Structures are given as structure tokens and as C-alpha cells.
Amino acid sequence: MGAGDGFRAPAAVISAGLLSVLGLSWFWSLLALLGVYLCSGGWRFLYVAACTIKRDLVGLCILLRVKFFMHHYIRMRSTVPSIFAQRVALHPDKAALVEESTGEVWSFSELDRRSNAVAQWAVAQGWRSGDVVAVFMESRPLMVALWLGLAKVGVEPALINFNLRRDSLMHCMGVSGARGMVFGAELLDAVLEVKESLSSLSLFCTGSSPVESLDSLSAQNLDDLLFYIYTSGTTGLPKAAIIVHSRYYRIASFGYYSFGLGPDDVVYCCLPLYHSAGNIVGVGQCVLHGLTVVIRRKFSASRFWDDCVKYNCTVVQYIGEICRYLLSQPVRPSESCHQVRVAMGNGLRPNVWEDFMKRFNIKRIGEFYGATECNCSLANMDNKVGACGFNSVILPSVYPIRLLRADEDSMELIRDSRGLCVPCKPGEPGIIVGRINPHDPLRRFDGYANQIQHRLNNLQIMIQRCQRMCLKMFKDIKVCVCEAVGCHCSCTLSYSSGVEGKAGMAAIVDVMNDFNCETFLRDVQNALPSYARPVFLRLSPEVDKTGTFKIQKTRLQKEGFDPRQTSDRLYFLHSRLARYESLTEELYSAIMQGKLSL
């Protein structure tokens, strides 16, 4: 509806009133009111309402259900561990977690006993409620027992990305303010690299702990902090997002109710447990709703459907390009004899959506959109192809979110002549915003750990690094620009195409013509995990800017790493030789034809 639609109803009422004064009956007055309303554009609203009312009612029921249970748990002063205890009491012998790599099955009582042992051990270390302990290990049931056991006594786990090394690892440790670290034996080498910097902390390698009873839980409620989950760092260094008990419940429960999950479902989780998709949307179905969750340490496209058949999975998780990777696999028998009915996640591209459902016979796609720390999210509750969610036209204030227009290059909000933000029309891309209400657990924003110190550390580290380079990785298709004040370098990120997956490209301004590829590679190896290192380099003598001094990101993105499109020096990271090689037209053709592996 347009900006003036809000005045049509009063105008219609006035018109009907005048007709009544003229002697017409109320029946004819109401009929006249309806006619005025329809003629003034009201038919559009009625049409949209008729098309969306079923979807909106389903969304409203889900929202009310989540709110009802959340307020119930608030009144009962419940927490994630205490809700889990209720699941243990209901079905102690039911399978809770399955470790795919070993086939080991933990029942709900077993997970409870192991997490109790962790809680007793944490108390024995002198850790108390409010202390922070880092958990640094690959995804497996033991990680769940660790954070759940620590949460039982109020100790706050910081879930560290197991791909991080050196500077990035130390940054995340410093931001959390952790007193200790529990790490997996598989990450011993990564810990040894920074052991001197961790000398003030208590370090523990995972092993067996005695099983002891836990008499009581630490006094907490849903507003208290459960653990920290780190952002991906697309706007700087990773930030430790605060996850309180109510946020954990909200994210997991919206997934459970929105996508029609039930207590008999078995969830296949191949996503990392250091992030919300795996640990909340996935494992949360076990902890809060009593489902069985199969945990795989790392995603494998070739083993995906075999695992689903082996463990009778009915729900699978995906993120980003996982569905496309599965479509790229050769046909195998297991992909047609599984019991999977729901795939839930985010980042499924519309152009592979229907192919994925058709080939693997998936009845429902549960696509959602949101950020770990955000107070608003969207969910595709009606299985509409290509949709990540909706905003009600009939009841827009029930779930107060808006999609606002933004400049696709700068990502700045577009404003009208009055300085107000401009709502998007249907089909337009934009930035989602949600109304913050600190008194509503569904609408509050909890922020990040040590926010002031984080900003200072972030600025200092970025300035130091930009003296030699300026690099920032971004996990979406759009390009991202990073400029450093006081430095002669800036970078733009784009992505290659024509090969499987994505590859980052850093465009670096080399004014002095003294860029050293070997030094750069050594720096990024120390600072970034393997998946975040740029595969391609583009060295330019100057920053190409528009008339308004904006960097020409679009042109760089279109030209990519094609040496025929630019006179800039181009390099690619040769995986076999482990060094940057000059990119010639012959090598470019070999890459595009798949003859040269990246």
C-alpha cells in the first residue's frame, strides 16, 4: 500500500456518514464505505491479505507458542540445563547424541552424567559462576558435554573456531577474557604455537573425567549468559556475541516449530559446533526438545547420504553451498533410499532449490535468515521455493521488523527528503532491521563481550597489519572494501567463478612496487585459517575511485582474475607448490578448464 493508504479508511467513514445524513440506511452506508475503500486502492490490500492470511496465521501461532513457553520458563526460573534435565527425566535411555566418526551413542542419561562430571571438574579447578573458559575442539558430543557441564555451574564457555591459528586465535581468547582453555588433542599443535601467549591461563587437553553426581545447579535464569559464539569477522575481527539462555531457546525453538519437527526426528548435523547453526539450531533440538542428533566432525559430500541412511536421519542441516556440493556429486543409491523429509539452514540459492528437492526427494526446505547476535530473524514457514522468510502485511507490528533500501556498494541506508529510511518494495533487496525491546526476551539485543576493549584491540591490530597489507575476507557473493587510515594500501575482495566453490581475491595497491608475495603468504598463514586466505592477488599502482571517491568495486568484481581484462599484476596461490605464482593467460585458461587445481 502507498503512503496515503492510512487515510483512506477515515475518508470512507466520513463518506458513509454523509450518506447516512442524506437519509440512506446503514446497509447502503456500509456498502458505500466498501465501494469508496475499494476504489481508492483498498482492493490491493484485500487481495494480498487473502493470499497471505494462511501463512501469517501459521507464523502467528508459532510466535505465540514460542512466547508462551519462554514466559513459562521465565516464571519457573528455568535455564537451558534445567530444561535439558526435564528431557533426561522423560526419556533417560533415548539416544541423545551420536558421534558419526566412531558410531558411539550417548543416551540422554549418559550426556547428563558426562556434563555433570564436567561441572564437578570445573568447580574443582576453582572456577565459579561468571568465569569464562574457552572451548577449542572439533565438533563431537564431548564438546556439547563440556559447554553444558560448564553452564550447569554458571561458568561461561567461549566457543572458539577450531580453524583459527596464532593471531586470530589469540584475538578471540583475549576478547573473551577467558581464565582457561579446554582443547581437543587434535588441536595440540595449534595450541603449542601460542602457548607462550597463553602462559597466564590454565590449559587442559580433553580426556576422561570421573562421573560424579551433581546435587544442584547454579542459581540462574533465562536472562543469564550461557556462552559466547564468535561472529565470522566480516566487518573486522571476530566479535564474541553474548548468547543468553533465552536466546538459545528462541533460536532453537523457532527452528523446531517453524519447520514442523517432532520428538521422533533424527537430525544430521555436519556443521561446526562453534557456531549457532550447528550448536543451537542443530544440537538445540536435542538439549531442549529431546531429539536425537547425529554429529559429524566435518562435512563430507560423498558420505552425506550414506550417513543419513545409516542413522535413519529425518532432518538434515545445510549452510551456504552445501546443497550445491551435494548436487555436484555423482548419483549413488543412498540418495534415494533415505528417510530425510526436512532440510533446514540458510544460504540455499534459488537456482539450485528445486533441483535439490527433486533429486533427493526432500519434501520441505526450512530456509531461515538471521544473525547469531541479532534480535530479528526470518523463516520460510510455508515451504515457498526461493523464500527465506516474510514480513506480515496484515499484522506488521506483531513481529516488528522492516526491510529497508540500501546502497548495494556501500551498504548504507537510503533516506528520503525528510531523512527517513525507505522501506523496500516486494522483491527488492535491503537491510533487515528489528525493533529493540530490552524487556522482551524475543526483542532484546545482548551485544558482545568486552565491547570497548574489543574496539581498541581491533583498531590497533588492523593498523599494524595494514602497514604491510590490508586484507579482509567476506563470506558472501558481494564484494567488500577495507581502507586503512594513514596507510598507502587498500584492498577489495571479489570471487572467482568457473570452478567448484569460491576463492577469495585480494586487490592490493602497491604504490612503491615493493610487494613481496612470500612475506604476504607467510603473514596470512599466521593470521588467517586456510579457507580465508586469498587464492588470487591483484597488484595495482593506484586506487581506482569514482568521482565521489568511492572505490570501483564493481569493475574489479567483473574483471576478476582474467589477465586479458587488466594490466595489473595477477598471482594465484599454487596449492601444490605452496606459493604465489604469476598468472599468465595460459594458466588462466588451465584454471577455467579445470586442468589446474586450486
Side-chain angles (χ1 to χ4, degrees):
M1 300 196 326
D5 290 351
F7 298 99
R8 289 172 182 156
V13 171
I14 294 172
S15 300
L18 290 174
L19 291 172
S20 177
V21 171
L22 293 175
L24 296 178
S25 67
W26 277 107
F27 171 78
W28 292 106
S29 299
L30 290 175
L31 192 61
L33 183 153
L34 179 60
V36 172
Y37 178 72
L38 293 177
C39 292
S40 61
W43 64 270
R44 290 184 311 215
F45 175 81
L46 294 179
Y47 174 77
V48 172
C51 294
T52 61
I53 188 169
K54 181 180 178 180
R55 178 202 65 187
D56 288 4
L57 289 176
V58 170
L60 179 62
C61 290
I62 292 171
L63 178 63
L64 292 177
R65 177 176 283 188
V66 174
K67 277 193 171 185
F68 172 80
F69 284 110
M70 180 171 288
H71 288 298
H72 166 73
Y73 289 130
I74 289 175
R75 289 195 304 270
M76 300 299 294
R77 297 187 61 81
S78 299
T79 61
V80 168
S82 65
I83 297 173
F84 170 71
Q86 297 174 20
R87 304 294 167 231
V88 176
L90 284 175
H91 33 63
D93 299 324
K94 179 181 178 180
L97 299 176
V98 180
E99 184 168 6
E100 178 280 328
S101 60
T102 63
E104 186 178 5
V105 180
W106 289 12
S107 66
F108 276 84
S109 58
E110 178 70 9
L111 177 56
D112 188 46
R113 287 189 290 116
R114 289 183 183 247
S115 60
N116 285 346
V118 170
Q120 296 283 7
W121 169 78
V123 172
Q125 304 308 313
W127 294 332
R128 297 292 182 266
S129 179
D131 289 339
V132 180
V133 174
V135 177
F136 184 51
M137 65 177 58
E138 292 182 353
S139 301
R140 56 184 188 272
L142 178 58
M143 184 177 179
V144 180
L146 276 167
W147 73 253
L148 184 59
L150 293 173
K152 286 185 174 183
V153 291
V155 176
E156 301 163 0
L159 309 182
I160 308 294
N161 182 337
F162 55 72
N163 294 292
L164 299 183
R165 297 296 184 271
R166 299 190 181 181
D167 291 349
S168 300
L169 175 58
M170 287 308 306
H171 164 76
C172 289
M173 289 294 296
V175 168
S176 70
R179 292 188 57 187
M181 172 193 277
V182 182
F183 64 93
E186 71 278 5
L187 298 176
L188 177 60
D189 290 342
V191 174
L192 290 177
E193 288 178 344
V194 295
K195 185 177 180 180
E196 292 184 2
S197 300
L198 298 174
S199 58
S200 61
L201 305 182
S202 301
L203 303 179
F204 300 92
C205 189
T206 54
S208 59
S209 299
V211 176
E212 301 179 27
S213 62
L214 187 67
D215 296 329
S216 61
L217 301 176
S218 175
Q220 294 178 299
N221 57 59
L222 280 181
D223 290 334
D224 288 327
L225 197 150
L226 177 61
F227 52 54
Y228 297 102
I229 283 184
Y230 288 83
T231 65
S232 56
T234 56
T235 56
L237 293 172
K239 298 181 286 292
I242 295 172
I243 306 298
V244 297
H245 292 254
S246 62
R247 180 172 294 274
Y248 190 98
Y249 178 84
R250 175 177 70 85
I251 296 174
S253 292
F254 268 121
Y256 181 81
Y257 294 118
S258 296
F259 308 135
L261 306 190
D264 296 327
D265 279 318
V266 178
V267 180
Y268 181 68
C269 178
C270 57
L271 306 181
L273 299 190
Y274 58 74
H275 214 286
S276 55
N279 211 345
I280 305 181
V281 179
V283 171
Q285 309 310 327
C286 166
V287 175
L288 298 180
H289 299 288
L291 279 64
T292 300
V293 175
V294 179
I295 298 176
R296 198 180 214 285
R297 293 199 182 190
K298 293 183 179 180
F299 165 72
S300 170
S302 62
R303 292 291 306 168
F304 189 93
W305 297 113
D306 292 339
D307 289 344
C308 290
V309 171
K310 180 178 180 180
Y311 296 107
N312 300 313
C313 297
T314 58
V315 180
V316 297
Q317 287 188 268
Y318 67 86
I319 194 169
E321 297 290 282
I322 281 181
C323 294
R324 189 170 64 83
Y325 296 153
L326 293 174
L327 281 173
S328 300
Q329 287 289 302
V331 176
R332 47 176 51 88
S334 57
E335 71 180 48
S336 59
C337 61
H338 58 79
Q339 302 179 45
V340 175
R341 60 183 182 82
V342 179
M344 60 180 184
N346 58 0
L348 177 56
R349 296 189 184 185
N351 61 338
V352 302
W353 192 302
E354 291 184 298
D355 291 341
F356 180 80
M357 294 183 71
K358 182 177 180 180
R359 173 175 168 179
F360 302 119
N361 193 29
I362 304 299
K363 302 300 183 184
R364 182 168 189 173
I365 297 294
E367 177 81 3
F368 60 88
Y369 177 84
T372 300
E373 67 275 36
C374 191
N375 73 326
C376 56
S377 57
L378 300 172
N380 183 348
M381 300 175 182
D382 56 351
N383 203 26
K384 181 176 178 60
V385 174
C388 65
F390 67 95
N391 187 20
S392 174
V393 176
I394 306 172
L395 302 170
S397 298
V398 171
Y399 192 66
I401 62 172
R402 294 291 183 274
L403 193 64
L404 304 177
R405 289 184 183 177
D407 183 278
E408 292 191 29
D409 289 331
S410 66
M411 296 308 293
E412 294 180 1
L413 291 171
I414 296 174
R415 301 179 182 273
D416 60 19
S417 58
R418 298 171 296 171
L420 301 178
C421 295
V422 181
C424 292
K425 295 180 180 179
E428 284 186 340
I431 293 179
I432 186 173
V433 296
R435 182 184 302 160
I436 295 175
N437 182 354
H439 305 294
D440 184 348
L442 294 180
R443 306 249 47 87
R444 58 187 281 181
F445 175 69
D446 299 300
Y448 309 96
N450 200 5
Q451 297 186 64
I452 296 178
Q453 187 60 45
H454 167 79
R455 294 191 186 102
L456 294 176
N457 292 344
N458 189 49
L459 178 61
Q460 182 180 15
I461 292 174
M462 289 299 289
I463 290 176
Q464 290 174 350
R465 290 182 180 176
C466 282
Q467 290 174 354
R468 293 178 298 184
M469 66 175 183
C470 185
L471 175 66
K472 185 169 74 169
M473 303 306 295
F474 194 67
K475 290 186 177 179
D476 204 339
I477 304 172
K478 290 186 172 68
V479 296
C480 183
V481 176
C482 173
E483 292 185 274
V485 177
C487 302
H488 66 264
C489 59
S490 63
C491 79
T492 301
L493 186 74
S494 63
Y495 287 100
S496 68
S497 60
V499 292
E500 183 68 18
K502 298 177 181 178
M505 179 175 180
I508 302 174
V509 177
D510 184 21
V511 178
M512 307 301 295
N513 196 27
D514 59 355
F515 184 84
N516 188 303
C517 289
E518 293 181 3
T519 301
F520 178 84
L521 178 59
R522 185 166 58 249
D523 288 339
V524 296
Q525 287 174 334
N526 290 338
L528 299 172
S530 58
Y531 61 81
R533 298 165 191 165
V535 175
F536 298 98
L537 298 179
R538 174 172 176 161
L539 304 184
S540 177
E542 62 181 354
V543 179
D544 189 3
K545 294 186 177 182
T546 67
T548 56
F549 302 100
K550 294 181 179 179
I551 295 178
Q552 290 274 24
K553 302 187 296 293
T554 304
R555 181 182 63 80
L556 293 175
Q557 184 184 28
K558 290 180 179 179
E559 293 177 356
F561 60 98
D562 188 347
R564 297 167 299 183
Q565 299 292 325
T566 178
S567 59
D568 291 345
R569 289 173 290 158
L570 298 173
Y571 298 86
F572 78 102
L573 184 55
H574 199 298
S575 58
R576 184 171 58 84
L577 301 178
R579 69 187 184 197
Y580 282 106
E581 294 281 307
S582 180
L583 185 61
T584 62
E585 290 189 21
E586 291 75 18
L587 289 175
Y588 172 80
S589 298
I591 292 173
M592 298 304 293
Q593 295 171 14
K595 297 178 180 179
L596 182 60
S597 174
L598 298 177

